[in-house]
Amino acid sequence: MKTYKNTGNIDTRSGFGAGLAELGKSNPDVVALCADLTGSLKMDEFKNNHPDRFFQIGIAEANMIGIAAGMTIGGKIPFTGTFANFSTGRVYDQIRQSVAYSGKNVKICASHAGLTLGEDGATHQILEDLGLMKMLPGMTVINTCDYNQTKAATIAIAEYDGPVYLRFGRPKVANFTPVDQTFKIGKAVTLTEGNDVTIIATGHLVWEALEAAKELDEKGISAEVINIHTIKPLDETAILKSVRKTKCVVTAEEHNMLGGLGESVARTLALNHPAPQEFVATEDTFGESGEPLMLLDKYGLNAKAISEKAEAVILRKE
Amino acid sequence: MSTTQHLQDFVTQVRRDILRQVHQVNSGHPGGSLGCAEFFSILYQEVMEYSSDFDMDGKNEDLFFLSNGHISPVFYSVLSRSGFFPVEELKTFRKIDSRLQGHPTTHEGLPGVRIASGSLGQGMSVAIGAALTKKMNKDSHLIYSLHGDGELQEGQNWEAILYAGSKGVDNLIATIDYNKKQIDGATDDVLPLGDLKKKFEAFDWKVLELKEGNDIEAIKKTLAEAKALTGKKQPVVILMETEMGNGVDFMMGTHAWHGKAPNDEQLEVALSQNPETLGDY
């Protein structure tokens, strides 16, 4: 089984900050907007290097989304930064009308997504954002897994013309994506090849899926792990190719089971190749305060949960 | 022909277009549209520098954003008669497969429209964004926007008003259609706006009061004054007092025609008060 080396724990939001800083140098049309969370979003380097292209909007996310939409008129590529909750739920109608329906080239960059925001609790831990964003026609939805991939995705979305939701997080997590790996929107990355079960993971749970694959391998179960960094458009070809081989699937995401990656995969399978599926996701619940790893364990969003679901789904194969 | 005569003819034709558009589909918003016929006509016929060969980026042009998108009939009439798309297309207003959606949108590619509006309160932020890009692009052209007075009840406006005032967005001229009416009745009865002049001034805006918002000369004078006030570290707002339903006697002095189309007989009366000038579509 192919294994991956963690080159050191680091937060995905720092990958965003590094990517944005690089865009600052390479693309003069890129501008950044922040709603009073510059440090949390790691936007300081861009802000310091390009004060004329950085806009502190204050705690006014609706205004930030609208300003970003307006800025595209005249050729700018605005990157907005705030927490995932305030990037989506708080400003859904602004995104819907002024960005998505208007077809504006705005990059909505969202940190602190999911339970791993930790101690701040459920007011800030959005678990519905992937669903909200993927339902918007024309919206590209990306959830990156580690620092390197977040940096690469940040750079890649500037080249793509259209609205994008880029989701990342707060905690320091394993960094294992090759530093030189090009980010292709909508193109899944197959991390391990296997025959018994397909594990389709996104965001922080991709590393957990790799850990689960190791546990399963020790039990003689061969798992194919796919990193779906783009929830929409979904790489249905990669999913179907794998599930046709393994005949069952586990999806894993730091998101509500309703409306997330798992449901997108289920739809794909139902239309093309029905197969047993198990979901590693929160079960229609809000989160709570706590340490990130303890929360992931309590809500069943880790390697242990993934391997258990993998064993369960294998038993459901006909 | 004097420019004033031309504008008067243009406004009258725009009123006919508004009435005929909403009548033909028995829906839409004639009241506010009629009240802003002069403003739109002057903006597009005399004030703004633009190319009717539409380009979304609008570099080196003045740009206009309509925030209260429900008054689309006046916007569509003026855009078409200013050369953005064929006047004939007004026939398709609110019909299936049309570029003239109930509320304006970029989605079907209608020339002249740069943002979707309809869900209220979003246009001020968009206008500010476009103004900031003009500054970054070292483009000295201006951003104009129009907002309903009732629309100011939406909180996002006040985020935007605070931002533009505090950050000195001084290439923006926002106009409030101050007709003091909204769907449910008088704005003073629904949710009073208080002293709008003082409120904008408290947010560091330059405020111009236009008491005769349906008078061509008064509007021209105020827009010229507003333009002269740009570039002075403050955004400019015009509180434009208009008469909802202006130009049709039975539609004036009431909020009843905010979102209601005239029937056949009412249309006939309304049109007779606004005789054809530039040719109906």
Side-chain angles (χ1 to χ4, degrees):
Chain A
M1 190 192 116
K2 188 171 178 184
T3 56
Y4 289 82
K5 185 176 176 337
N6 174 9
T7 59
N9 282 12
I10 182 167
D11 44 4
T12 50
R13 57 185 165 144
S14 286
F16 166 68
L20 191 64
E22 201 161 306
L23 283 172
K25 289 179 223 149
S26 64
N27 192 334
D29 288 330
V30 168
V31 298
L33 299 83
C34 189
D36 196 31
L37 286 168
T38 312
S40 296
L41 267 285
K42 306 292 180 186
M43 296 168 89
D44 289 310
E45 192 176 342
F46 184 98
K47 177 189 167 185
N48 294 335
N49 292 344
H50 312 283
D52 52 330
R53 289 194 272 145
F54 178 82
F55 296 85
Q56 173 59 268
I57 305 295
I59 310 166
E61 295 81 6
N63 190 38
M64 177 167 74
I65 295 296
I67 288 179
M71 279 180 167
T72 63
I73 299 164
K76 298 301 172 197
I77 307 170
F79 281 61
T80 66
T82 183
F83 290 173
N85 189 28
F86 314 135
S87 292
T88 58
R90 188 176 183 92
V91 291
Y92 196 66
D93 192 43
Q94 284 76 18
I95 296 176
R96 181 175 183 273
Q97 175 170 285
S98 293
V99 177
Y101 185 45
S102 293
K104 298 303 181 201
N105 192 22
V106 175
K107 315 305 174 187
I108 299 158
C109 303
S111 184
H112 292 55
L115 290 176
T116 51
L117 172 141
E119 292 79 355
D120 278 348
T123 53
H124 288 51
Q125 292 161 330
I126 195 162
L127 294 163
E128 309 91 48
D129 54 324
L130 293 176
L132 287 170
M133 291 297 109
K134 81 177 188 185
M135 281 196 293
L136 289 171
M139 182 66 77
T140 292
V141 181
I142 296 170
N143 184 21
T144 48
C145 67
D146 66 1
Y147 173 96
N148 285 344
Q149 188 169 71
T150 309
K151 183 180 175 187
T154 303
I155 293 165
I157 61 176
E159 294 298 315
Y160 166 79
D161 185 16
V164 174
Y165 178 61
L166 176 63
R167 179 199 217 226
F168 41 89
R170 174 175 182 246
K172 290 183 165 59
V173 294
N175 188 29
F176 58 94
T177 299
V179 71
D180 58 349
Q181 188 175 83
T182 312
F183 188 89
K184 290 186 185 143
I185 296 170
K187 187 78 183 153
V189 181
T190 300
L191 294 171
T192 68
E193 294 193 2
N195 295 311
D196 298 326
V197 59
T198 299
I199 301 172
I200 299 174
T202 192
H204 291 145
L205 294 200
V206 175
W207 179 254
E208 297 297 320
L210 287 170
E211 293 289 290
K214 271 197 260 176
E215 287 174 27
L216 292 165
D217 190 55
E218 284 163 16
K219 293 181 178 176
I221 296 168
S222 123
E224 182 147 302
V225 176
I226 297 176
N227 173 7
I228 291 276
H229 49 66
T230 309
I231 312 294
K232 183 186 169 185
L234 192 65
D235 189 346
E236 299 191 349
T237 308
I239 292 167
L240 290 168
K241 185 178 169 215
S242 181
V243 177
R244 282 197 171 102
K245 177 174 65 175
T246 64
K247 300 187 169 48
C248 66
V249 61
V250 175
T251 51
E253 60 196 307
E254 193 181 341
H255 190 272
N256 193 347
M257 178 192 293
L258 305 179
L261 165 69
E263 284 197 346
S264 287
V265 170
R267 182 190 53 80
T268 302
L269 296 176
L271 286 170
N272 299 283
H273 187 78
Q277 177 178 351
E278 293 286 335
F279 296 75
V280 171
T282 55
E283 297 184 12
D284 200 18
T285 179
F286 291 106
E288 66 181 76
S289 292
E291 290 175 28
L293 289 179
M294 291 174 75
L295 288 168
L296 290 181
D297 190 52
K298 175 169 177 177
Y299 287 83
L301 305 181
N302 55 15
K304 177 167 159 281
I306 294 169
S307 59
E308 282 170 9
K309 293 270 167 97
E311 288 187 70
V313 81
I314 287 168
L315 295 175
R316 290 173 55 203
K317 284 203 264 188
E318 287 179 9
Chain B
M1 189 193 298
S2 71
T3 58
T4 304
Q5 185 60 47
H6 163 75
L7 274 175
Q8 272 165 1
D9 288 349
F10 194 92
V11 168
T12 305
Q13 190 63 48
V14 167
R15 282 210 188 92
R16 290 181 69 85
D17 290 347
I18 292 165
L19 293 160
R20 295 177 71 238
Q21 283 176 86
V22 298
H23 171 262
Q24 74 198 356
V25 286
N26 193 27
S27 75
H29 297 79
S33 296
L34 290 165
C36 290
E38 288 87 357
F39 173 77
F40 273 87
S41 300
I42 293 163
L43 207 55
Y44 276 88
Q45 288 295 298
E46 293 212 345
V47 174
M48 289 204 306
E49 291 175 23
Y50 62 89
S51 165
S52 53
D53 185 10
F54 181 72
D55 170 69
M56 180 57 81
D57 280 338
K59 289 181 179 171
N60 302 309
E61 296 181 39
D62 294 328
L63 306 181
F64 171 74
F65 293 95
L66 176 64
S67 190
N68 46 332
H70 56 277
I71 65 167
S72 55
V74 64
F75 194 22
Y76 294 154
S77 168
V78 171
L79 284 178
S80 69
R81 292 189 182 274
S82 300
F84 283 92
F85 56 87
V87 175
E88 281 294 295
E89 206 167 333
L90 297 177
K91 280 182 184 163
T92 71
F93 174 64
R94 284 185 171 237
K95 290 181 179 168
I96 197 163
D97 294 331
S98 173
R99 299 196 292 181
L100 278 60
Q101 292 290 298
H103 294 80
T105 173
T106 60
H107 195 257
E108 278 72 31
L110 185 69
V113 180
R114 290 193 164 85
I115 197 78
S117 60
S119 177
L120 293 171
Q122 300 187 27
M124 184 84 76
S125 305
V126 174
I128 291 168
L132 294 172
T133 287
K134 286 252 180 256
K135 281 178 180 280
M136 284 188 276
N137 287 344
K138 308 219 180 314
D139 177 348
S140 61
H141 286 78
L142 298 175
I143 303 296
Y144 293 87
S145 61
L146 183 67
H147 315 262
D149 51 357
E151 186 182 10
L152 294 177
Q153 291 159 357
E154 290 282 5
Q156 185 183 345
N157 282 307
W158 298 98
E159 296 182 3
I161 292 164
L162 175 62
Y163 184 92
S166 297
K167 306 262 181 171
V169 182
D170 60 5
N171 54 345
L172 169 66
I173 299 173
T175 298
I176 309 301
D177 178 15
Y178 200 13
N179 61 26
K180 302 176 186 175
K181 292 181 185 65
Q182 56 191 111
I183 298 180
D184 273 0
T187 301
D188 271 346
D189 294 332
V190 177
L191 178 62
L193 297 167
D195 190 332
L196 275 185
K197 180 170 189 280
K198 278 191 190 155
K199 283 180 179 166
F200 272 99
E201 282 173 348
F203 282 75
D204 283 327
W205 284 59
K206 196 76 197 167
V207 182
L208 294 176
E209 291 180 290
L210 170 52
K211 299 286 182 193
E212 301 291 332
N214 294 109
D215 181 273
I216 287 173
E217 292 309 320
I219 297 170
K220 279 164 71 166
K221 185 168 162 280
T222 305
L223 281 169
E225 237 178 288
K227 193 171 175 179
L229 287 170
T230 58
K232 299 184 191 303
K233 312 286 180 208
Q234 277 185 294
V236 181
V237 63
I238 300 172
L239 303 177
M240 181 175 74
E241 295 188 29
T242 64
E243 178 68 49
M244 192 184 267
N246 189 55
V248 178
D249 59 6
F250 62 88
M251 290 187 176
M252 296 195 286
T254 170
H255 66 275
W257 296 90
H258 170 94
K260 191 176 89 170
N263 62 26
D264 293 349
E265 294 76 36
Q266 289 162 335
L267 177 71
E268 203 176 319
V269 175
L271 291 179
S272 73
Q273 295 169 10
N274 294 277
E276 193 171 349
T277 53
L278 307 179
D280 285 340
Y281 61 84

